[in-house]
C-alpha cells in the first residue's frame, strides 16, 4: 500500500495539477466558499480586519503615530494571514484536482459510442446503429471485435475476450460469457476477440462509469459523520478562543493604565494570536484527508458510494468472509476416490465421472479429469443417449443421471441421504464415518450412489491462501472478529476455519443465515462488513454496514452494496478495511498534531504581546525570540507553512500497519502528539533567527 501511495503522490504533484490547484485556491478566498469551513472563515475575518487596519495606517500615517517597522510588521502579518488561507484552500484543491483528473480520464471513455442494437439473438444480420445514450434497459446489442461496449450489460450469447483497463486499470484481458460470475460487462470497455450479444441491464445515467465519475469528483463529496463531529468540535474550540481573545484588548488597556507602564496590545497582534491558536491546521486539511481517502479507494479499483462507507470500513468490528476465493486459492479440486467395502476404485471413479456430466462447476470438471488421468475412465457421451441428466444446483447440491434402470447421484452427504430416504434406504454407517473423518481433516466429501447403493466418496480439497492466517491474526489484534460463511458441511467448515485461523464459522449457510448473523452482531452494537456477488446475497449486503459487491456480480448485488469492487476479488475487503483505517488514523494523527502545535504558540505570542505590561511573563519566552514583532510574525509564518508541509501527509496518508487500537493510539500520541510539541518550537525559533539575520526585526 505504501508503494501505491507514493505512486499516487508522484502522479498528483505534476505542474499542471499544481497550477490549476493554485488558481482554484485563489478563487476560493471569497467568503461564500469559506463559509463551508467555519474555522477558516474566522481566519478570513481576521485577515480582513488586519488588512483594513494596515491600509488605514498607510493612508493616515499621522492619525496614530507608528514607526516604519510597525507598518512593515502590519503588512507582513496581513500577507501571511492571506497566505495561510491560500495554503488551506490549496490543500483541498490539490486533492480534488486528483479526483477531477480521474473523472476527466473516465469521461474520455464515455464519448459518443455507437451501439449495434438488434431485435433478437437470431437476428444479427442487420443491426440498428444507435447512440449509447439512447439505449434502454432490456435492449439487445451486438458487440464485435474492436467495438467499445456501449453500456453496462449482461452477456446472453457468445464468448469473448474483453479489455477492461479503461475502467479497472488492469491490463490483462478477461473472458466474458453467458451465465455465472463472468457474464457482466461494463460500459466503456472494449471487446478484443469474437463477438457477444448482451442485454442492457441499467437505465441511462446509472452505469458503472457514471457512478465512478460522480464519486471521484471531489466537489460532490459529502462530509461524513466523523468529519461533521470533528468540525463541530473545531467550531466549539474556535468560539471559545474567539470569546477569550475578544477580552484581551480591553484587559490590556486596563492593565496598562493601572500599571502605568508598557503599551496596550495591538488589535492586529490579538488577531494574529487568534488565527494561530484556533485549529487552522486540521481545519485546512480535513477535507483533503477525506478526498484523498476516496481517491485511494478508487486506486484500489473500488467504487465507494459514499464517504460514510469508507469510514465504516475503518471502524469494522466483524468481518464476514466467503470461503472460496477469499480464504482458499479458488475452487476445490478432486484429489481421491475412497470406495466403500466391496467396491473397486475404478467402479467408483466411473460412476462419479458419469454423475459429473451434468455438473458444470469446476469441482465437477476436476472429478472427470481425475477419473480420466488416474483411472483411464473415458466418458463417451454417445453411450448416455436418452439419459435424463440432473444438473448440479446450489439448491439440490447434487448431480447425476437416469438411464433406463440405472440411476446415479453424486452430491453432499445431506443431499444424498435425502435421496436415499426417498428410495426407502439409508446412508451406510461406513460412508457417514468416512465422510465425517474427511470433513474433520478439512476436505469436502461428496457421496456417490447408484440405484440406492452407496459406492464411496469423492474427496475434494481446498488450498488455504498463503499468508491468510497471518492476515487474520493481524485483524484479530486490531479487534476485528473474522467469521467464515460457507455452504460446506459443518465438519469441513470447522477444519477449514481452524486451519485458516478464523474466529468463527457457519457451515451450510443460507442467505437467511447470513442476514440473521448480520442482525445479531448489529444488535450487539458491532459494525459488520461482508462481500457478495449473487442475487441471494443482496439482502445481507443491504443490511451490512460495509457491503462490497463484486463487479462481475448481479445487478441486485451491486445495488444493495455501498461499495463495488471492479476487480471482483473477494479478498479486496481486507484492503478496504486497511484504507478505511488509514484514513481515520490520518485524521486522528493530524488532529493530535494540530492541537499540540497550539501549546508552542502560547509560549511565543503571549510573552510578545504582554511582556511590556507584565515583565514577569518574559519567563515564558523559553525560545528566547529576538523581539515581540519577530515572535508574532514567526508564529504566523509557521502557522501557514505547516499546512503546506502537511499536505503530502494528508494526501498520501499516515503510514499504517495493522495493530491493536491501543498501540495505534500510543504511536499517535508519541509521534504526532510529542512531535506536534517539538516541531513548532524548532521551526518558530528557526524562522525568528532567519528574520533577525536578515535584519527585518
Amino acid at each position: 500500500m505504501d508503494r501505491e501511495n507514493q505512486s499516487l503522490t508522484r502522479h498528483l504533484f505534476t505542474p499542471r495539477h499544481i497550477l490549476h490547484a493554485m488558481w482554484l485556491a485563489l478563487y476560493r478566498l471569497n467568503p461564500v466558499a469559506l463559509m463551508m469551513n467555519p474555522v477558516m472563515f474566522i481566519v478570513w475575518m481576521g485577515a480582513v480586519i488586519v488588512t483594513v487596519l494596515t491600509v488605514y495606517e498607510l493612508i493616515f500615517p499621522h492619525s496614530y503615530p507608528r514607526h516604519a517597522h510597525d507598518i512593515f510588521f502590519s503588512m507582513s502579518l496581513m500577507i501571511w494571514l492571506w497566505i495561510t488561507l491560500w495554503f488551506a484552500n490549496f490543500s483541498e484543491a490539490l486533492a480534488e484536482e486528483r479526483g477531477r483528473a480521474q473523472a476527466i480520464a473516465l469521461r474520455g471513455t464515455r464519448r459518443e459510442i455507437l451501439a449495434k442494437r438488434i431485435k433478437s439473438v437470431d437476428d444479427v444480420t442487420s443491426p440498428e446503429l444507435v447512440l449509447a445514450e439512447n439505449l434502454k434497459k432490456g435492449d439487445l446489442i451486438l458487440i464485435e471485435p474492436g467495438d467499445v461496449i456501449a453500456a453496462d450489460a449482461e452477456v446472453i450469447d457468445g464468448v469473448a475476450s474483453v479489455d477492461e483497463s479503461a475502467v479497472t486499470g488492469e491490463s490483462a484481458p478477461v473472458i466474458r460469457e453467458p451465465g455465472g460470475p463472468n457474464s457482466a460487462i461494463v460500459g466503456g470497455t472494449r471487446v478484443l476477440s469474437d463477438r457477444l450479444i448482451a442485454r442492457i441491464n441499467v437505465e441511462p445515467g446509472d452505469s458503472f462509469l457514471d457512478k465512478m465519475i460522480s464519486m471521484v469528483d471531489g466537489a460532490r463529496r459529502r462530509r461524513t459523520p466523523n468529519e461533521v463531529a470533528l468540525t463541530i468540535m473545531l467550531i466549539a474550540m474556535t468560539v471559545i478562543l474567539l470569546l477569550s481573545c475578544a477580552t484581551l484588548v480591553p484587559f490590556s488597556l486596563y492593565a496598562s493604565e493601572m500599571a502605568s507602564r508598557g503599551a496596550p496590545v495591538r488589535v492586529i497582534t490579538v488577531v494574529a494570536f487568534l488565527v494561530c491558536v484556533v485549529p487552522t491546521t486540521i481545519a485546512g486539511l480535513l477535507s483533503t484527508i477525506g478526498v484523498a481517502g476516496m481517491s485511494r479507494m478508487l486506486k484500489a479499483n473500488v467504487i465507494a458510494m459514499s464517504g460514510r462507507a469508507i469510514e465504516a470500513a475503518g471502524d469494522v468490528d466483524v468481518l464476514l468472509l466467503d470461503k472460496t476465493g477469499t480464504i482458499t486459492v479458488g475452487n476445490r479440486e478432486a484429489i481421491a476416490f475412497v470406495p466403500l467395502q466391496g467396491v473397486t476404485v475404478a467402479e467408483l471413479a466411473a460412476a462419479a465421472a458419469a454423475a459429473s456430466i451434468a455438473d458444470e462447476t469446476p469441482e465437477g470438471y476436476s472429478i472427470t479429469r481425475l477419473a480420466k488421468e488416474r483411472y483411464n475412465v473415458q466418458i463417451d457421451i454417445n453411450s448416455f443417449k436418452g439419459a435424463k441428466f440432473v444438473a448440479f444446483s446450489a439448491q439440490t447440491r447434487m448431480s447425476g443421471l437416469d438411464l433406463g434402470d440405472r440411476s446415479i447421484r453424486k452430491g453432499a452427504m445431506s443431499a444424498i441421504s435425502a435421496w436415499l430416504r426417498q428410495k426407502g434406504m439409508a446412508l451406510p454407517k461406513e460412508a457417514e464415518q468416512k465422510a465425517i473423518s474427511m470433513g474433520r481433516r478439512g476436505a469436502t466429501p461428496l457421496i456417490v450412489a447408484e440405484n440406492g447403493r452407496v459406492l464411496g466418496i469423492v474427496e475434494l480439497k481446498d488450498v488455504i491462501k498463503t499468508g491468510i492466517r497471518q492476515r487474520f491474526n493481524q485483524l484479530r489484534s486490531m479487534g476485528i472478529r473474522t467469521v467464515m460463511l460457507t455452504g460446506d458441511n459443518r465438519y469441513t467448515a470447522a477444519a477449514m476455519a481452524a486451519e485458516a485461523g478464523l474466529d468463527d464459522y457457519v457451515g451450510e449457510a443460507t442467505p437467511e443465515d447470513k442476514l440473521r448473523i448480520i442482525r445479531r452482531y448489529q444488535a450487539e452494537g458491532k459494525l459488520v462488513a461482508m462481500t457478495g456477488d449473487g442475487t441471494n446475497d443482496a439482502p445481507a449486503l443491504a443490511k451490512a454496514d460495509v457491503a462490497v459487491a463484486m463487479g462481475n456480480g448481479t445487478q441486485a448485488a451491486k445495488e444493495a452494496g455501498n461499495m463495488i469492487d471492479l476487480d471482483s476479488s473477494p479478498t479486496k475487503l481486507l484492503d478496504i478495511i486497511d484504507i478505511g483505517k488509514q484514513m481515520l488514523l490520518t485524521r486522528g494523527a493530524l488532529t493530535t498534531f494540530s492541537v499540540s502545535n497550539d501549546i508552542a504558540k502560547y509560549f511565543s505570542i503571549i510573552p510578545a504581546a504582554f511582556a511590556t505590561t507584565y515583565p514577569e511573563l518574559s519567563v515564558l519566552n523559553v525560545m528566547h525570540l529576538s523581539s515581540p514583532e519577530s515572535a508574532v510574525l514567526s508564529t504566523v509564518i509557521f502557522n501557514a507553512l505547516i499546512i503546506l508541509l502537511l499536505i503530502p501527509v494528508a494526501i498520501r496518508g499516515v503510514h499504517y500497519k495493522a495493530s491493536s487500537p491501543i498501540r495505534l493510539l500510543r504511536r499517535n500520541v508519541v509521534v504526532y502528539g510529542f512531535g506536534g510539541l517539538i516541531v513548532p518550537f524548532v521551526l518558530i525559533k528557526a524562522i525568528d533567527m532567519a528574520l533577525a539575520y536578515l535584519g527585518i526585526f
Side-chain angles (χ1 to χ4, degrees):
M1 183 178 293
D2 290 337
R3 188 178 301 172
E4 289 183 357
N5 288 339
Q6 291 169 6
S7 175
L8 169 64
T9 306
R10 286 196 301 268
H11 179 70
L12 179 65
F13 292 128
T14 62
R16 183 174 59 84
H17 287 154
I18 292 176
L19 288 174
H20 191 272
M22 290 171 65
W23 166 251
L24 186 60
L26 189 63
Y27 168 76
R28 288 185 178 181
L29 288 177
N30 71 81
V32 176
L34 286 170
M35 286 182 69
M36 299 299 294
N37 189 334
V39 177
M40 300 313 298
F41 183 68
I42 293 294
V43 178
W44 179 86
M45 291 180 63
V48 170
I49 292 172
V50 172
T51 301
V52 170
L53 293 176
T54 301
V55 171
Y56 181 82
E57 291 178 2
L58 289 172
I59 296 176
F60 304 102
H62 302 294
S63 60
Y64 192 68
R66 293 288 181 196
H67 296 293
H69 77 276
D70 290 332
I71 301 297
F72 180 78
F73 172 69
S74 300
M75 292 182 64
S76 299
L77 279 183
M78 175 189 72
I79 293 171
W80 277 102
L81 288 178
W82 286 112
I83 289 176
T84 301
L85 281 169
W86 186 56
F87 281 170
N89 289 336
F90 177 69
S91 168
E92 184 174 4
L94 193 57
E96 290 184 0
E97 181 63 18
R98 164 69 178 176
R100 288 193 178 89
Q102 292 172 323
I104 291 171
L106 291 171
R107 287 190 183 100
T109 66
R110 200 182 59 177
R111 57 190 182 278
E112 290 187 354
I113 302 172
L114 286 176
K116 301 171 183 175
R117 185 164 58 188
I118 58 177
K119 295 181 180 179
S120 68
V121 176
D122 300 323
D123 182 17
V124 297
T125 55
S126 55
E128 176 190 4
L129 294 178
V130 297
L131 286 173
E133 60 187 24
N134 294 330
L135 290 171
K136 298 178 181 178
K137 187 175 182 179
D139 284 348
L140 296 180
I141 58 173
L142 171 67
I143 314 163
E144 296 179 305
D147 289 351
V148 175
I149 298 172
D152 294 358
E154 182 179 359
V155 177
I156 60 174
D157 186 66
V159 179
S161 176
V162 179
D163 176 13
E164 295 186 343
S165 60
V167 175
T168 67
E170 294 294 328
S171 58
V174 295
I175 300 299
R176 292 292 176 249
E177 57 188 349
N182 297 321
S183 62
I185 53 178
V186 182
T189 59
R190 183 184 298 273
V191 171
L192 299 178
S193 65
D194 304 296
R195 73 168 195 180
L196 296 174
I197 295 177
R199 179 181 289 111
I200 304 298
N201 56 13
V202 295
E203 296 293 349
D206 196 32
S207 67
F208 257 16
L209 212 54
D210 291 308
K211 291 178 181 178
M212 289 178 72
I213 291 171
S214 65
M215 291 311 303
V216 301
D217 190 346
R220 302 182 185 179
R221 193 185 67 87
R222 296 182 179 180
R223 291 181 182 270
T224 62
N226 280 348
E227 275 187 273
V228 172
L230 183 55
T231 301
I232 292 173
M233 184 194 76
L234 297 179
I235 293 172
M237 291 175 59
T238 302
V239 170
I240 293 172
L241 291 168
L242 179 62
L243 294 176
S244 300
C245 289
T247 64
L248 291 180
V249 172
F251 176 77
S252 177
L253 287 170
Y254 174 78
S256 179
E257 291 179 3
M258 292 293 294
S260 299
R261 61 183 178 184
V265 65
R266 297 177 62 184
V267 173
I268 61 171
T269 301
V270 173
V271 171
F273 175 66
L274 174 64
V275 169
C276 289
V277 295
V278 296
T280 52
T281 305
I282 186 60
L285 297 172
L286 187 58
S287 295
T288 306
I289 297 168
V291 173
M294 299 192 75
S295 183
R296 283 195 297 274
M297 195 67 75
L298 188 65
K299 183 75 174 177
N301 278 345
V302 176
I303 302 177
M305 301 305 176
S306 68
R308 183 192 297 265
I310 303 176
E311 280 193 349
D315 285 329
V316 162
D317 300 298
V318 180
L319 189 57
L320 303 182
L321 299 156
D322 187 28
K323 175 176 69 70
T324 304
T326 306
I327 299 169
T328 61
V329 172
N331 300 300
R332 294 167 295 188
E333 292 282 332
I335 62 171
F337 296 111
V338 182
L340 297 190
Q341 190 173 4
V343 180
T344 65
V345 178
E347 183 183 358
L348 172 60
S356 300
I357 294 176
D359 185 357
E360 297 183 352
T361 65
E363 291 87 351
Y365 291 137
S366 74
I367 292 171
T368 305
R369 185 172 60 252
L370 180 66
K372 179 181 179 181
E373 293 176 354
R374 190 173 299 181
Y375 302 103
N376 198 29
V377 175
Q378 302 294 331
I379 296 296
D380 184 5
I381 196 65
N382 293 322
S383 62
F384 294 99
K385 283 185 178 179
K388 180 182 178 182
F389 292 100
V390 178
F392 176 86
S393 69
Q395 287 72 33
T396 63
R397 302 180 68 203
M398 67 177 180
S399 63
L401 60 85
D402 296 319
L403 180 60
D405 59 354
R406 190 182 182 192
S407 182
I408 308 175
R409 293 293 185 274
K410 174 216 70 188
M413 183 169 64
S414 58
I416 297 299
S417 295
W419 182 70
L420 290 172
R421 283 195 298 271
Q422 292 176 358
K423 295 180 174 297
M425 301 176 185
L427 188 71
K429 285 293 183 182
E430 181 188 0
E432 184 177 357
Q433 291 172 356
K434 286 187 175 182
I436 291 174
S437 176
M438 199 176 291
R440 286 173 176 167
R441 296 198 309 269
T444 300
L446 295 181
I447 310 296
V448 181
E450 182 174 353
N451 295 338
R453 177 193 176 205
V454 176
L455 302 179
I457 305 171
V458 180
E459 183 177 357
L460 302 178
K461 181 64 176 176
D462 288 291
V463 179
I464 299 292
K465 285 188 173 180
T466 303
I468 198 73
R469 187 181 184 91
Q470 290 76 10
R471 192 69 182 271
F472 289 150
N473 287 337
Q474 290 176 343
L475 291 174
R476 188 177 298 107
S477 69
M478 293 158 54
I480 298 175
R481 183 176 180 82
T482 52
V483 182
M484 179 181 71
L485 305 177
T486 177
D488 290 340
N489 64 72
R490 63 182 184 276
Y491 303 110
T492 302
M496 191 64 60
E499 186 178 353
L502 289 150
D503 296 313
D504 201 358
Y505 67 91
V506 178
E508 301 179 355
T510 64
E512 292 76 17
D513 291 333
K514 296 177 183 178
L515 194 58
R516 174 180 54 80
I517 292 167
I518 291 173
R519 285 173 174 165
R520 187 188 76 200
Y521 280 118
Q522 289 177 336
E524 297 172 359
K526 310 289 188 183
L527 283 180
V528 181
M530 76 163 290
T531 61
D533 60 358
T535 301
N536 60 350
D537 292 324
L541 287 171
K543 185 65 177 174
D545 300 288
V546 179
V548 184
M550 299 295 100
N552 59 8
T554 63
Q555 190 65 23
K558 295 174 191 174
E559 291 176 355
N562 51 26
M563 293 187 185
I564 299 176
D565 175 22
L566 300 179
D567 293 334
S568 300
S569 171
T571 56
K572 189 66 69 66
L573 188 54
L574 302 176
D575 297 325
I576 289 171
I577 289 176
D578 283 348
I579 293 173
K581 285 193 173 295
Q582 185 186 37
M583 189 182 80
L584 294 180
L585 182 63
T586 301
R587 186 181 299 156
L590 294 186
T591 300
T592 303
F593 188 87
S594 176
V595 174
S596 299
N597 270 198
D598 294 340
I599 297 176
K601 297 170 186 175
Y602 284 102
F603 282 93
S604 60
I605 294 186
I606 291 292
F610 293 96
T612 56
T613 305
Y614 293 103
E616 296 82 1
L617 290 178
S618 298
V619 71
L620 296 178
N621 187 15
V622 295
M623 287 180 275
H624 301 290
L625 301 177
S626 57
S627 69
E629 291 84 358
S630 178
V632 174
L633 185 58
S634 297
T635 308
V636 171
I637 293 174
F638 166 79
N639 197 56
L641 292 180
I642 198 64
I643 296 176
L644 185 65
L645 294 175
L646 289 176
I647 289 176
V649 179
I651 293 177
R652 185 177 61 247
V654 170
H655 173 70
Y656 170 73
K657 183 179 180 181
S659 184
S660 66
I662 297 299
R663 287 185 178 180
L664 291 175
L665 178 61
R666 187 183 300 122
R667 175 177 174 270
N668 194 351
V669 171
V670 171
V671 176
Y672 293 93
F674 289 110
L677 285 173
I678 297 170
V679 169
F681 277 98
V682 173
L683 292 185
I684 291 174
K685 178 59 179 178
I687 295 170
D688 172 74
M689 292 173 65
L691 294 177
Y693 177 79
L694 295 173
I696 296 177
F697 293 108

